[in-house]
Each structure stands twice: as structure tokens, then as C-alpha cells.
Amino acid sequence: MRVNEIPIVFNCEQADLIGILHCPVSVESDTVGVLIVVGGPQYRVGSHRQFVLLARYLAENGIPVMRFDVRGMGDSTGLSAGFEHIDADIRSGIDAFYQHQPGLARVVLWGLCDAASASAFYVYQDHRVSGMVLLNPWVYTQQGAAKSYLKHYYLKRLTNPDLWRKVFGLRFDYLQSLRSLFDFTRKALNGGNKLIAQVSAGTVDQRLPLPERVRECLRRSSCNILIILSGRDLTADEFRDAVRQDFIWQELLADPRITRRDLPEADHTFSTRVWRDQVAELTLDWLRKV
């Protein structure tokens, strides 16, 4: 299918945001479009290149896509507010998508890492969003990261032949390793102060720890959700551990509107063509079913 790629400029709180529309030449009325939410800064040849290729793939299969830089990122003006404070950027992006794409009826948010969490923060506030694709959602806490590092990094290190070659070759830094292990253990055991979830008729309490805040935002939403997790990624490991330790998370992920897919060999940014294509195909297949 022929696709037009159209650059646009739109406003968000006195900042100029730069976007690219990937528009199939023939779009049916009442169609669903995908808005790619960009997270933290990356090389243009890294995950941002994946966004370009994903947008082209979906558009070639008849699904309009828009990708854009939020304030303070890439080519957009303004100051970066951080992923926890880009609701206005996402709303402006959806407004611009509707303005420039005739026939658009619903929007699916697509985000990797902190952009996945930013999408979760936004989704329940806008009825135009009917779905989300969340890749390796960012649910970082100091304690959670330390537990994941101890469990998924140090245990694997014990079976790594390179480690034992260093040990027997007297090239292993015992002091530095013990300091690192002690630091992660201390952080893992320090739970800190837990904040009870405060969910009012308005927005979810922003003071909640990140795993609980993401969870409560998703619970407030009624849209369909696809979660894709890498097998070789500490961010995905932390998400899995957070879910495993929280029965409310488990209950939420058992909801039929939520689909989970795991790619055991993939890294955080799906950096090979095989993994990137798997993500694109999973996304397209899911879009056709919801």
C-alpha cells in the first residue's frame, strides 16, 4: 500500500512540537490510528529508528501512524518535563493526529520503557484512546531494581565462565564486587515508606511508588492493552518481579482485555531485525483483533 509521510508542527503550551504522519493513501472511515509516544533520549539509529520502521510497516498495512518529539526532545522546542509530566504533550499529539488524519475514530498509544509508563498515566483521562501497546514498562524503584539486579544479574554471573576465568587467573576484584553486592543487598532490604494508593474521582495520586501508580492508572482505564516483555532486560525483569509480588497486579493482568507476549531472547530496545520485526508483527496482529 502506498504511504505518504507528512511532517507537521503543532503547539503544546507555547512549545512547537515536530511530528511525522505516516498516512496510507486509502484510509477507511472509523479507523484506528497509532500514536507513538517517545520516551527518553536515544540515538537516532537506536530505538528511534525502530519507531520509524514500525510506523512505515503499520502504514503499509493500512494503519495510520503519527510519531512526534515531546517538549525538549529531538526537534521539538521547550523544556523537557520528564516522562511523568507529558500528559499535555500526548493530548496535543492526539489533537494534531485527529486534525490531520481524516477518518480517524480511535487512537492506540504505543510506547517503550518510560514512554509506556507515560502512556499509562494518560490513558484513563481521554476517551479517544481505545488501546495501548506497552513495551518493557518502566516501574523503577530503588528497592525493586536492587532485587532484580541481585536475582537476574548476580545469579547469572555465577554460571558465567568469564567470571571463573578471572577468579582462577587472580584478575577478579573481590573488594569492588563485595562492595557492589553489599550495596544492592542493602537497597533490596530497604523497603522505604509505603504509600497507600489514593485513587479519587480525579487523577491517580502522583506520589505513589511507580509500580503502584502504573497499576492504578491501568485499572482506571477500560481500553485493550498489549504488553510485550523482553527476556534479556532488567527493566522487564523488574516489571515481572513487581507483578509477581502484587496480587492486584496479577488480577489486573488476568483481565481478558490485557494481552501479554514475551520475547525471551530480546534485549531492552529489540535491537536486532528479528526482534524488531517480531514486535511489529505482534503489534499489527493485535491491532487487527481489537
Side-chain angles (χ1 to χ4, degrees):
M1 182 178 292
R2 287 180 52 234
V3 175
N4 294 322
E5 295 187 3
I6 305 169
I8 62 171
V9 180
F10 56 98
N11 183 266
C12 175
E13 298 185 352
Q14 285 71 59
D16 290 327
L17 307 190
I18 310 300
I20 300 290
L21 289 165
H22 298 259
C23 305
V25 171
S26 177
V27 176
E28 298 178 0
S29 60
D30 195 34
T31 192
V32 61
V34 174
L35 182 74
I36 297 177
V37 179
V38 175
Q42 292 280 344
Y43 288 112
R44 292 294 185 185
V45 294
S47 59
H48 283 271
R49 185 61 182 170
Q50 180 190 24
F51 304 154
V52 176
L53 298 174
L54 173 71
R56 289 174 176 169
Y57 175 79
L58 294 177
E60 288 166 1
N61 283 276
I63 297 173
V65 180
M66 176 177 157
R67 54 189 177 86
F68 73 103
D69 291 328
V70 299
R71 285 172 292 174
M73 291 291 180
D75 298 311
S76 295
T77 65
L79 297 176
S80 174
F83 78 98
E84 294 183 273
H85 307 287
I86 61 170
D87 282 1
D89 304 71
I90 297 174
R91 183 173 292 106
S92 295
I94 295 174
D95 291 343
F97 201 3
Y98 268 85
Q99 179 183 350
H100 290 89
Q101 179 60 65
L104 191 65
R106 296 171 292 136
V107 171
V108 165
L109 302 180
W110 192 103
L112 166 69
C113 192
D114 57 350
S117 299
S119 299
F121 299 156
Y122 179 82
V123 66
Y124 69 94
Q125 305 175 61
D126 193 332
H127 68 276
R128 297 173 296 180
V129 180
S130 64
M132 289 189 296
V133 181
L134 309 178
L135 286 74
N136 299 328
W138 178 254
V139 292
Y140 174 87
T141 63
Q142 188 176 73
Q143 182 190 28
K147 285 182 177 179
S148 294
Y149 208 79
L150 287 171
K151 178 179 179 181
H152 301 286
Y153 174 76
Y154 276 100
L155 289 180
K156 289 179 181 178
R157 282 276 286 168
L158 292 176
T159 61
N160 188 330
D162 289 338
L163 170 66
W164 297 108
R165 277 193 286 269
K166 288 182 179 180
V167 170
F168 293 119
L170 303 179
R171 293 179 288 110
F172 185 71
D173 190 341
Y174 290 95
L175 184 59
Q176 177 60 36
S177 296
L178 287 173
R179 284 175 178 168
S180 176
L181 179 60
F182 174 78
D183 185 51
F184 278 110
T185 303
R186 177 180 57 80
K187 291 176 180 177
L189 295 175
N190 180 20
N193 296 321
K194 278 285 193 180
L195 184 67
I196 306 273
Q198 300 291 326
V199 184
S200 65
T203 59
V204 173
D205 194 331
Q206 295 186 13
R207 298 172 300 166
L208 284 170
L210 200 49
E212 285 88 345
R213 185 180 171 195
V214 171
R215 183 196 70 201
E216 291 306 313
C217 289
L218 295 184
R219 289 180 71 198
R220 291 285 294 275
S221 164
S222 60
C223 71
N224 295 300
I225 301 169
L226 171 62
I227 298 175
I228 301 176
L229 299 177
S230 299
R232 295 171 47 240
D233 174 41
L234 286 172
T235 298
D237 289 337
E238 188 171 358
F239 178 84
R240 278 186 282 262
D241 289 341
V243 168
R244 192 177 296 115
Q245 299 165 13
D246 186 332
F247 76 93
I248 304 178
W249 256 119
Q250 295 172 26
E251 183 180 66
L252 175 63
L253 294 189
D255 192 311
R257 68 188 175 87
I258 298 180
T259 302
R260 172 176 162 178
R261 295 289 181 262
D262 290 81
L263 300 182
E265 299 302 318
D267 59 19
H268 181 66
T269 56
F270 306 90
S271 60
T272 72
R273 180 174 181 175
V274 171
W275 303 332
R276 184 180 66 238
D277 289 349
Q278 287 176 329
V279 168
E281 290 163 7
L282 285 171
T283 300
L284 179 62
D285 182 62
W286 177 82
L287 285 168
R288 286 173 169 168
K289 293 177 180 178
V290 298

